[in-house]
């Protein structure tokens, strides 16, 4: 059953509370809430910066977002706009916002909360993923991106207890030795170094662990 509740759109915008967006429709289907949102302001062209005023087509883009009083399916009614500046090389562009930059599939507020859960609160990646109903990979990507920006200078730290957390971060690969033609199985692992006193992530490194196939034979 689809039950339109569009009359409450302004209240929905206030409750949904995503900066630069308003809610244009809300529905409940079998207990599952869906919200369709639109941007508040016309965007500036990413090339020339001139504010656009003519819209082209739109498409609905699904966004992953924080749960708002429980899970919500969020669709962004996202427009392509014409660039107004005659001297600009770009004819048109899809709008983006600080909450959902170009090519993003999730809101910044979701990524921020995932990073806080893992780095500040010391929750396991799998636990944060389950809590926010997103994939392990998404939490991993958000934390990696944040770590690149916020990892502290390790020379200035004096942790009392160091811990490590290791996990596979890519699928298994096989490489062939050019000389012997033998295939070797590689498991890409990532090692995270954690201050056990603060539960803060101090560093990350890739480690490639070479593991023989279970049979002990090389593939050829
Ligand atoms: Zn332009």
């Amino acid at each position: 059953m689809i039950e339109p509740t569009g009359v409450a759109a302004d209240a929905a915008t206030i409750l949904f509370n995503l900066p630069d967006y308003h809610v244009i429709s809300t529905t409940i289907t079998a207990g599952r809430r869906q919200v369709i949102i639109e941007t508040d302001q016309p965007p500036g062209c990413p090339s020339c910066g001139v504010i656009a005023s003519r819209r082209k087509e739109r498409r609905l883009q699904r966004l992953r977002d924080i749960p708002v009083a429980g899970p919500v399916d969020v669709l962004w009614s996202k427009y392509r706009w014409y660039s107004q500046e005659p001297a600009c090389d770009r004819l048109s562009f899809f709008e983006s916002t600080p909450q959902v930059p170009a090519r993003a599939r999730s809101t910044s507020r979701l990524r921020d909360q995932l990073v806080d859960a893992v780095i500040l609160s010391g929750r396991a990646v799998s636990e944060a993923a389950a809590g926010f109903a997103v994939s392990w990979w998404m939490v991993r990507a958000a934390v990696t991106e944040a770590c690149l920006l916020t990892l502290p200078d390790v020379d200035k730290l004096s942790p009392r207890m160091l811990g490590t957390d290791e996990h596979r971060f890519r699928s298994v690969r096989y490489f062939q030795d050019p000389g012997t033609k033998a295939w070797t199985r590689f498991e890409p692992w990532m090692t995270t170094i954690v201050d056990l006193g603060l539960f803060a992530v101090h560093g990350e490194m890739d480690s490639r662990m070479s593991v023989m196939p279970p049979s002990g034979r090389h593939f050829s």
Side-chain angles (χ1 to χ4, degrees):
M1 184 183 72
I2 294 179
E3 187 182 320
T5 52
V7 286
D10 286 342
T13 296
I14 291 166
L15 291 171
F16 192 62
N17 197 29
L18 183 64
D20 301 321
Y21 291 86
H22 59 265
V23 173
I24 57 172
S25 105
T26 57
T27 53
I28 300 176
T29 307
R32 183 105 195 163
R33 296 173 300 154
Q34 185 188 75
V35 167
I36 303 181
I37 57 174
E38 217 175 59
T39 52
D40 275 340
Q41 303 289 333
C45 168
S47 297
C48 64
V50 172
I51 301 295
S53 62
R54 279 198 309 139
R55 297 199 282 208
K56 264 181 111 180
E57 81 275 10
R58 69 168 187 173
R59 67 178 184 202
L60 285 177
Q61 180 186 332
R62 185 170 295 279
L63 290 181
R64 284 169 303 210
D65 189 27
I66 56 171
V68 180
V72 181
D73 295 327
V74 181
L75 293 172
W76 176 10
S77 174
K78 183 179 184 176
Y79 283 92
R80 182 191 285 280
W81 296 73
Y82 290 101
S83 179
Q84 298 292 103
E85 171 54 52
C88 181
D89 289 340
R90 197 185 284 263
L91 297 175
S92 67
F93 60 92
F94 269 108
E95 57 193 355
S96 62
T97 65
Q99 277 292 328
V100 191
R103 289 182 292 280
R105 295 281 177 270
S106 54
T107 58
S108 300
R109 68 180 180 182
L110 171 61
R111 293 191 297 274
D112 289 347
Q113 288 204 13
L114 295 174
V115 169
D116 285 354
V118 174
I119 294 189
L120 297 184
S121 306
R123 292 171 73 185
V125 169
S126 54
E127 187 190 333
F132 286 89
V134 299
S135 72
W136 186 93
W137 297 103
M138 187 190 163
V139 183
R140 180 67 254 164
V143 169
T144 303
E145 187 189 356
C147 284
L148 291 176
L149 300 174
T150 60
L151 277 181
D153 179 352
V154 289
D155 291 336
K156 295 185 179 143
L157 302 172
S158 49
R160 285 178 46 246
M161 285 182 290
L162 269 184
T164 59
D165 175 44
E166 285 194 310
H167 50 263
R168 183 184 283 169
F169 77 103
R170 278 202 198 113
S171 53
V172 170
R173 278 116 209 268
Y174 290 89
F175 291 105
Q176 189 176 29
D177 185 297
T180 66
K181 304 292 179 205
W183 288 90
T184 308
R185 177 186 161 109
F186 280 86
E187 299 200 28
W189 284 76
M190 178 171 281
T191 305
T192 305
I193 298 170
V194 184
D195 184 332
L196 290 177
L198 300 171
F199 285 107
V201 174
H202 277 183
E204 296 214 334
M205 62 182 129
D206 296 359
S207 49
R208 279 167 186 75
M209 189 181 286
S210 172
V211 178
M212 292 285 282
S215 63
R217 283 187 295 119
H218 278 123
F219 295 102
S220 56

